[in-house]
Amino acid sequence: MDTALTYQDVLDARARIDGAIRPVTVIEGDGVVLAAEFMQHTGTFKARGAANFVAYHRSSNTMPDAGVVIASGGNAGLACAWAASAHDVPATVFVPATVPAFKKARLQAFGADVRAVGAEYAEALAASVGFVAESGALASHAYDHPLIAAGAGTLLLEILEAGTVDTVVVSVGGGGLYAGIATAAAHHGVKVVAVEPRHCRAFSAALEAGTPVDVTVQSIAADSLGARRVTPLALAAAAASNTVSVLVDDEAIIEARRHLWDSRRLVVEHAASTALAALRTGAYLPDPGERVAVVLCGANSDPSDLAR
């Protein structure tokens, strides 16, 4: 697998998924630009990478009859099932047996064959690997794949089309979204602020070590940002871009999420408010006149706790 993306990869992804994804809505105010990617198909940015992955293999005649398979209990599985459905491709999604019933129902609504295995993601992943070997299905991934990351990078192109931006602030989990955005940002001279929960920091730990390393994961945002190891694509993108890595506490993530609800009636998941928390806490302080865009990456969240 390639360990670096090019700007051309992002441009190719954009041409490939044009018309399939929703252009990002940009909200101005409070001195920043909010990129409302939570309004994307399936509720997160992951629809971009999944659409690029499936469309590429469809157009290259490399999509097997058995279709595509992914292990995921969350947003990546939904995006994969959605993209596969749009191309009439079979999708098999392995989930832990503990996955909430509503998520399983959403996957099935997209026509996915949902298989619950084990109590943890690792067990579902192992089962998906076995399924690939037996069936010949094509394995996808939540973030660790060039096509997935390149699709995510198309978001930065749309943000720039909406107006001049000096800096983009983005939450980082496994690093697919960051890798795509940073690759496009480097081409356009845009700074990237990569934000992680303090106890969910696979990216910053990899920067310190110079290579991806395993980390412990414990955060309110771990359901989306809880990768134990970042993709090598993210490290390569960091080396080629102007990137600042910052950490925020869970309390700040919760506060930023509530602020979005109180001030704008926007409901996002904790992974999305992680990015905004960097600005609200001063973990990242923009220079006077610096035009900043904050990526609100998803909204697959229970809104019932916003009033607490």
Side-chain angles (χ1 to χ4, degrees), residues 269-298:
E269 60 191 64
H270 289 107
S273 62
T274 297
L276 183 61
L279 295 177
R280 291 187 59 77
T281 61
Y284 179 74
L285 289 172
D287 292 330
E290 182 179 350
R291 188 159 172 81
V292 178
V294 179
V295 175
L296 301 181
C297 56

Side-chain angles (χ1 to χ4, degrees), residues 89-235:
V89 169
T92 305
V93 182
F94 284 82
V95 300
T98 53
V99 71
F102 81 90
K103 286 189 177 182
K104 184 176 180 179
R106 289 194 66 193
L107 287 166
Q108 291 172 329
F110 287 124
D113 177 3
V114 183
R115 305 193 181 194
V117 178
E120 298 181 356
Y121 169 77
E123 295 173 272
L125 177 61
S128 74
V129 172
F131 180 81
V132 168
E134 295 170 3
S135 68
L138 180 67
S140 185
H141 197 278
Y143 56 85
D144 192 12
H145 195 286
L147 290 170
I148 299 296
T154 61
L155 173 58
L156 191 278
L157 303 182
E158 294 177 11
I159 292 172
L160 294 178
E161 285 182 349
T164 302
V165 168
D166 302 305
T167 302
V168 60
V169 184
V170 59
S171 305
V172 183
L177 174 61
Y178 163 78
I181 283 183
T183 298
H187 181 85
H188 290 279
V190 173
K191 180 192 294 185
V192 183
V193 179
V195 191
E196 296 174 285
R198 190 169 305 279
H199 301 294
C200 204
R201 54 184 297 265
F203 177 63
S204 56
L207 289 178
E208 293 171 2
T211 188
V213 293
D214 289 334
V215 299
T216 56
V217 170
Q218 186 175 7
S219 170
I220 190 72
D223 58 340
S224 295
L225 302 182
R228 296 190 178 275
R229 176 178 288 240
V230 77
T231 172
L233 296 168
L235 276 185

Side-chain angles (χ1 to χ4, degrees), residues 42-104:
T42 75
T44 73
F45 73 93
K46 288 185 181 291
R48 294 176 182 269
N52 189 42
F53 181 88
V54 174
Y56 171 84
H57 286 287
R58 264 302 214 183
S59 63
S60 301
N61 295 317
T62 52
M63 179 64 72
D65 291 341
V68 63
V69 61
I70 191 170
S72 169
N75 294 335
L78 288 169
C80 182
W82 165 78
S85 176
H87 287 270
D88 295 320
V89 169
T92 305
V93 182
F94 284 82
V95 300
T98 53
V99 71
F102 81 90
K103 286 189 177 182
K104 184 176 180 179

